[in-house]
Amino acid sequence: MPAGINQGLSTGRATYPLVVVAALVLAVRRRWPLATLAVVTAAGTAYLVLGYPYGPILLSFFVAVYTVAAYLPLRTAAVAGGAALVALLAHVVVGARSPGLLGAMPAAAWVVVPFAVGTTVRLARESTARNRVDEARRLADAERLRVAREVHDVVGHGLAAIHMQAEIALHLLAKKPEQAEAALTAISRTSKEALDELRVTLTVVRRDEAADERAPTPGLAQLPELRERLAGAGVPVIVEVAGEARTLPVAVDLAAYRVVQESLTNVLRHAGPATATVRLRYAPTEVAVEVTDTGRGQVTGPGPAGGYGLAGMRERVTALGGSFTAGPGPGGGFRVYATLPLEEAA
């Protein structure tokens, strides 16, 4: 056999370890991407400098460049990719079978293509992670708002009623102690009801605990108790129902009750001596709630004076796809009107 052929076969066998090393080192590419790229680049450069044509070893190089671009910051990946490209182009100048400048284009493609693919994958992954974090933050904010709204409605109504009843008790204590005792009894009952409702609200938030079956979930079925509580605080409440009353979806039932509760709380706080009227209208596709009073009007702007309660009612109703309006009534006083669509409607 001619000596030239023997020498060519010997050189070919010498490249096998380069191919094997370039393939095996990919096993640790995610843990040490830069080291992996350095080893694969050295093996690939040696392979090409020896004069062998593009082959499977460049697949290892492709994967190494992709890994660097996909898992490292853009600047670090760009520097590493540029260094790998410079090293790979060495065969164009000093290779045993130099392809000349035309060989630079395919060599550059083995860097540019995997780098672009890896960068695209990394950006997509980072965007997905950011969206996931933003969604988690949005859900957490919505949950905090929901809890704050529930606590505001429960505690605000209870404290307003207790405050009014305490004022009555103080006024009657010296002159009519027997009536003051009735007011104190109403305070005790109102505080217990408010605490029970608050406990139910917090139990729903703490989903790892079973709800207290003794305390019903707030809904329009509790309007008689609410009316009695307001009457004990000095605000007579008339309830009118139009249409056939029926069981509502839980979310709609709770929202309708909270609208009535917060509206009556505002009457208690801001309307002065007044009576209130609650009108419920059941329709096939919606339920409408209207609360009017004969007082001096209420504060409608934002702020601690009462605007937060109106904003909370509006958020509750619009979150369910309903409509909400609040403002001075046509005949004086104040009017709150809300419509809530029924999900179960055909």
Side-chain angles (χ1 to χ4, degrees):
M1 183 176 292
I5 296 179
N6 285 335
Q7 183 179 4
L9 291 175
S10 177
T11 304
R13 286 192 295 270
T15 62
Y16 294 163
L18 298 175
V19 176
V20 172
V21 167
L24 293 179
V25 76
L26 294 179
V28 296
R29 68 186 186 278
R30 292 188 179 178
R31 187 172 183 180
W32 297 301
L34 288 177
T36 299
L37 179 61
V39 172
V40 173
T41 299
T45 299
Y47 178 92
L48 294 176
V49 167
L50 290 175
Y52 282 83
Y54 296 159
I57 195 171
L58 290 182
L59 295 177
S60 299
F61 183 77
F62 187 102
V63 174
V65 174
Y66 164 83
T67 302
V68 166
Y71 292 95
L72 293 181
L74 180 59
R75 178 175 297 182
T76 302
V79 172
L85 176 60
V86 172
L88 196 67
L89 291 178
H91 78 285
V92 176
V93 180
V94 299
R97 299 177 182 177
S98 173
L101 294 178
L102 292 178
M105 294 183 63
W110 284 98
V111 175
V112 173
V113 173
F115 186 87
V117 174
T119 300
T120 301
V121 170
R122 178 176 56 81
L123 293 177
R125 185 170 57 244
E126 291 175 352
S127 177
T128 301
R130 284 194 301 270
N131 291 339
R132 189 178 299 114
V133 171
D134 291 342
E135 178 66 13
R137 185 180 297 111
R138 186 190 66 80
L139 292 176
D141 291 342
E143 182 67 8
R144 282 195 295 269
L145 178 61
R146 186 183 70 83
V147 173
R149 193 162 51 219
E150 290 291 337
V151 173
H152 170 274
D153 290 348
V154 174
V155 176
H157 172 76
L159 290 180
I162 290 171
H163 172 74
M164 184 63 67
Q165 291 162 349
E167 291 287 337
I168 295 173
L170 289 174
H171 179 72
L172 297 175
L173 185 59
K175 300 178 181 179
K176 300 179 180 179
E178 68 283 357
Q179 295 184 14
E181 181 180 355
L184 292 174
T185 301
I187 290 175
S188 175
R189 183 178 64 253
T190 300
S191 61
K192 182 181 181 301
E193 292 173 353
L195 287 173
D196 288 342
E197 192 172 348
L198 181 62
R199 183 168 58 250
V200 171
T201 300
L202 296 180
T203 301
V204 171
V205 174
R206 298 178 62 184
R207 303 179 188 279
D208 56 329
E209 296 183 4
D212 189 347
E213 298 296 337
R214 297 173 299 174
T217 302
L220 292 178
Q222 292 180 288
L223 276 184
E225 291 85 350
L226 182 61
R227 178 175 57 183
E228 181 181 351
R229 194 182 310 159
L230 267 292
V235 179
V237 178
I238 302 172
V239 177
E240 301 176 356
V241 179
E244 183 179 355
R246 61 186 184 278
T247 301
L248 301 175
V250 175
V252 174
D253 196 22
L254 175 60
Y257 175 77
R258 292 302 190 208
V259 168
V260 175
Q261 183 187 50
E262 181 62 23
S263 298
L264 294 178
T265 300
N266 286 342
V267 174
L268 188 61
R269 287 174 174 170
H270 308 298
T275 60
T277 302
V278 177
R279 297 181 179 87
L280 301 177
R281 180 176 58 83
Y282 292 89
T285 59
E286 67 179 17
V287 60
V289 178
E290 183 184 40
V291 181
T292 58
D293 66 72
T294 59
R296 59 173 177 258
Q298 303 174 23
V299 178
T300 59
Y308 292 150
L310 293 177
M313 287 189 281
R314 180 175 287 103
E315 290 169 357
R316 282 182 183 278
V317 173
T318 56
L320 295 175
S323 61
F324 178 87
T325 58
F334 199 80
R335 176 179 181 266
V336 172
Y337 183 76
T339 59
L340 293 160
L342 302 180
E343 297 175 352
E344 62 187 13

